[in-house]
Structure formats: C-alpha cells, structure tokens
Amino acid sequence: METKTMKPFPDNFLWGSSTAAFQCEGAAHEDGKGNSVMDVRVQDPSICNYEVAADHYHHYKEDIALMKECGLKAYRFSIAWTRIFPEGNGEVNQRGVDFYNNVINECIASGITPIITLYHFEYPQGLVEQYGGWLDRRSIEDYVNYCTFCFKTYGDRVKYWLTVNEQDHVNHMPFRIGFKSTSVLEDEKKGYLANHNMCVAAAYAIKACHEIVEGGKIGPAVCFDMHYPTSNKPEDGLAWLDSMDLRNYYVLDMNVKGKYNPVFKRYLEDRDMMPEIHEGDMEAMKTNKPDFIGFNYYASKSISAFPADEEHPIGDLKIKLLPAEEPGAYKIVKNNNLTATLWGWEIDNIGLECVSRILYDRYELPLLITECGFGNKETPDENGYVEDDDRIDYLSKHILSVKKAMNVGVEFIGFCSWSFMDIVSGHSGFSKRYGFVRVNREEHDLKDLARSKKKSFYWYKETIACNGENIK
Ligand code: BGP
C-alpha cells in the first residue's frame, strides 16, 4: 500500500552487520578449539576450507574498530561451540571463553550491541562421534548446557541471543548434522528427527535465557525466502501454500506455536518421516516462546505445481542439497521478472517486504533481520578499493522495503547486513564476497589478509548516521 507520508526508522533501530564464526574466525585448531562438522566437511578442492577464513580470530580488534568507524549499532556473530566445549560437552576450554569475552568487551567499549548466534552450522564433531549428535535425545541436554554456560558467562553484557541459524538448511544437509548421506529419503527422515530435537532444545534454551539473562531476548534465525505462485493457475496457488507450509513455516510454527502445522504433519506421516514426539516436547515449545523472530533474507522463489505421475512418483526426491522440488508438492521455477546474482539467487526486495508482513501477521512478534546481502566476485583497484555499487543498490532497496513494511505497522528491532567483512561463503569459498570491508586474500592464496573499506562501507556509514533518511 502507498501512503502519503512515510514513517522514519525509530531512534533505537539496530543498524547492524553479521558474520558466523566458522566463516570469519579461522584459527580452526588454535587455543584448544575442537572440531565442528564444518571443520571435517569434505570440501570441493577448488574452494578454500575454513582453516584461516578472514582470520578474524587474530584481527577482531581491527575489525571491531572498523565497525565502530562505520557507526554500527549492532554486531551479530556466532560463538563456535567447540571453542567453549571442544568435545561439545564436558571440559570447558578457558581460552575459547576468553576470546568471546574479548570480542564482547570490545563491542561494548565501541558502543556496539552484541547479538550472539549460539549455533550457526558448527555442530561439535565430538557429539556426532559420542552418540550421533542431533539424531539422539542426548543432544538436547548438551545444547541446553552449552547455552546455559553462555548465558551465565556472557549474559551480564549480551542481551540479544539467537538459538539456531537456518534450521531448515541444517535439516536438509546431512554434512551439517554430521552423518553421511545414504538415500535422500533416509537423509530427510533423519533431518526431520534432528529438526524435532533442535526445536525441543531451542525451547529449553529460551527458558534458560529467560531465567538467567536479566532483560535477555532470544529468538531463532530462520531462512525465510519469499515464495510466490508462478501463475494465477489455481494449481500453482495450491503448490505455493504447500511450499510455504513445508519449507517456510514449519520450524517457526514449532518454535512459536509449539505445533507441527497440519500440512507438514500429514506430509511427514504420509512419507514415513514423522519423528517420535516425547511427552512434554510440544508443551516445552508452547510455553517457551521466542521474544522475536530473526530471519535471513536473500531472495525469492517462484513456485509451480508438480503433480506426481509414473515417472515422478511421490517421494522421488532427486535434489540432494535442498529438496527444491518434490513430485506431489511443488517445484521451483525461474522468475522471469527478476534478475539474479552470479549464483542464480533471484534479487527481490519486494519479497522482503512481503515476508516481513507475513511473519508479523502470523507470529505477532517483532522482527530482526539477521542476514541480508549481495554476494559478488570483485576486483579491487591498487589500493584495495572496490566500487561495489551493485551491493549498495541491493541493500538500499532491501532497506527501503523494511521501511515500507514498518510504515504499515510491522515492528522491527533492526537490520543486520551479511556480512561486515568478506568471509568464506557457505558454499562458494572466498570468491563470493559480501562485505563492506575487503579482506585481501584469494581462494588459495592468503596474501596479507589486509582490510580495506569498499564504497559500500561509506554508504552504510552515511545510512546509519542519518538513521536511514537517505533510503528513499
Ligand atoms: C546463509 C548462512 C550464512 C551465509 C549466507 C550466504 O544461508 O546463514 O552462513 O553463508 O547464507 O550464503 P553463501 O555464503 O552460500 O552465499
């Protein structure tokens, strides 16, 4: 809806930026850190691993000084669980504890609100080896113990917490849960068991946060792409409803409403993937709701009907990374109305406005955008300067969509871009860059890891300084 006037961003809006430990820290085997599933992941040799990353572990002071110079109000980062508990449980590693104390203190001294993700893909390999990790109920207790330790140790200074990053993506990627893929159907079944255990664990972590952290606020950080029906054919509309239930709502419905939405439940039962629900599980979710919804937004998807037939029977999941199409449910098709990044992610800021309204309507909780950004290949000039106009264009349009959603009543806590400096991409190594700050390294050549400000750094600084007045 258009309005004659536009509401400004509130004064306490958290202008932020994000990273994740395994993608930025490096020092993968330093100071007592244990292995996570990301460390032992078998990598495509053409892209870099996480050993050095952006070397934030050794550059954190410099990086936070740059955040201060940019005027960031918030820095969202994750704790690498295995720096604190190298095996996932048991002995605490004090050097890991100290590192995050230093990062938090540096943020606070710089006037930056820390927002901590407790679990961003880096599941302890030790727990996988001890009992199969998320596939076992013991994972619930170990996660809650780890979170409780973090709340007690850092909760005097950290008031914003995120339970699990992109749970949907973890569920569908066996390597992120720590098991070897067998058949897609078996993988999916395990993924939904892990999903259930994660939801129970998150509920008890929320409880612990509320009990331990004075004034603490905690929520999930889901991935929530906008989905549209490809056409006005009723079949596409129905497929869109299915994709929203099966891919977008199911985690949040468990987190916020304490229930399996009916379509998701029927889907799991019909495909023989329904996990066992123990007494008290759903009650724990229902009574320990998040305080806000954190979500990552990058792109939208166009959804078409995909009726099952002899050639494509129900359950014929062919796509291994993420089941992007499933006979009898839906498929994802190219949206000819949108342009895309070099990696095919369709750029759609209006989708962010739609998602914001959908989430706020359905869950009635304030929103925090935990990731939003533009990945690109970049060539700097001789001073390390990058003219990343595409990134500025992407971000200013997406922030405008936040402003428009806010203008019609959606409540936001803040906006965290992905990512503050260049870090290792989740799937595409160091050649896919997202930062406001360039890190001087290539895929396999570490160079000097020097930091240099890109054009977008100055643009974000100006945006924060005028509290988004320049976003029109
Ligand atoms: C999200 C993850 C991030 C980050 C981002 C960009 O899914 O939470 O960790 O990687 O996507 O993805 P990529 O790095 O693959 O471009």
Side-chain angles (χ1 to χ4, degrees), residues 170-280:
V170 177
N171 299 337
H172 295 291
M173 294 187 200
F175 73 89
R176 285 193 177 150
I177 305 179
F179 66 88
K180 285 210 166 47
S181 168
T182 47
S183 74
V184 186
L185 262 186
E186 269 312 303
D187 294 352
E188 288 284 284
K189 190 169 179 168
K190 288 179 185 163
Y192 289 119
L193 170 60
N195 175 66
H196 183 84
N197 290 339
M198 266 183 254
C199 285
V200 178
Y204 286 113
I206 291 172
K207 182 170 191 279
C209 179
H210 289 154
E211 284 167 2
I212 298 165
V213 182
E214 212 188 311
K217 292 191 188 306
I218 183 162
V222 293
C223 172
F224 206 102
D225 295 337
M226 182 60 197
H227 291 189
Y228 302 107
T230 300
S231 75
N232 56 7
K233 277 193 224 149
E235 293 82 351
D236 286 350
L238 201 55
W240 168 74
L241 280 172
D242 285 340
S243 75
M244 289 295 276
D245 277 332
L246 302 179
R247 293 309 308 276
N248 272 344
Y249 294 138
Y250 75 99
V251 175
L252 287 174
D253 284 351
M254 293 173 76
N255 289 157
V256 183
K257 300 180 172 192
K259 67 177 203 186
Y260 279 77
N261 77 54
V263 175
F264 179 53
K265 184 160 180 270
R266 183 71 190 108
Y267 167 83
L268 294 179
E269 286 167 350
D270 184 62
R271 271 80 165 164
D272 189 27
M273 299 195 288
M274 187 72 195
E276 187 187 347
I277 300 177
H278 290 233
E279 203 187 323

Side-chain angles (χ1 to χ4, degrees), residues 47-195:
I47 62 171
C48 66
N49 58 27
Y50 306 106
E51 297 265 322
V52 179
D55 202 28
H56 180 65
Y57 193 76
H58 299 109
H59 288 253
Y60 75 90
K61 280 194 180 173
E62 184 187 349
D63 291 337
I64 296 171
L66 283 162
M67 291 174 200
K68 183 179 178 189
E69 186 186 333
C70 191
L72 288 202
K73 306 280 186 221
Y75 173 37
R76 175 207 175 210
F77 59 95
S78 70
I79 289 182
W81 183 340
T82 58
R83 276 199 203 285
I84 310 283
F85 291 99
E87 292 305 313
N89 53 13
E91 290 293 305
V92 171
N93 173 38
Q94 192 54 43
R95 286 173 295 176
V97 176
D98 294 344
F99 173 68
Y100 294 108
N101 264 322
N102 293 340
V103 171
I104 291 164
N105 292 342
E106 201 71 25
C107 284
I108 288 173
S110 308
I112 297 169
T113 300
I115 300 175
I116 290 188
T117 316
L118 288 152
Y119 165 43
H120 194 129
F121 302 157
E122 299 167 82
Y123 196 68
Q125 180 63 16
L127 300 184
V128 174
E129 280 158 25
Q130 286 173 51
Y131 51 68
W134 282 122
L135 304 181
D136 188 285
R137 295 282 294 189
R138 282 170 281 184
S139 59
I140 298 170
E141 198 185 331
D142 281 332
Y143 173 79
V144 177
N145 284 342
Y146 152 67
C147 294
T148 300
F149 179 88
C150 293
F151 300 145
K152 286 187 176 157
T153 310
Y154 307 122
D156 55 335
R157 289 151 290 158
V158 178
K159 303 301 171 188
Y160 285 101
W161 297 88
L162 296 159
T163 49
V164 182
N165 182 70
E166 292 194 347
Q167 191 166 317
D168 176 63
H169 284 211
V170 177
N171 299 337
H172 295 291
M173 294 187 200
F175 73 89
R176 285 193 177 150
I177 305 179
F179 66 88
K180 285 210 166 47
S181 168
T182 47
S183 74
V184 186
L185 262 186
E186 269 312 303
D187 294 352
E188 288 284 284
K189 190 169 179 168
K190 288 179 185 163
Y192 289 119
L193 170 60
N195 175 66

Side-chain angles (χ1 to χ4, degrees), residues 20 22-23 76 120-121 165-166 169 176 223 296 298 345 371 418 424-428 432 434:
F22 74 100
Q23 291 172 279
R76 175 207 175 210
H120 194 129
F121 302 157
N165 182 70
E166 292 194 347
H169 284 211
R176 285 193 177 150
C223 172
N296 301 344
Y298 290 90
W345 296 19
E371 289 178 29
W418 184 265
V424 185
S425 145
H427 304 287
S428 313
K432 188 180 188 184
Y434 282 91

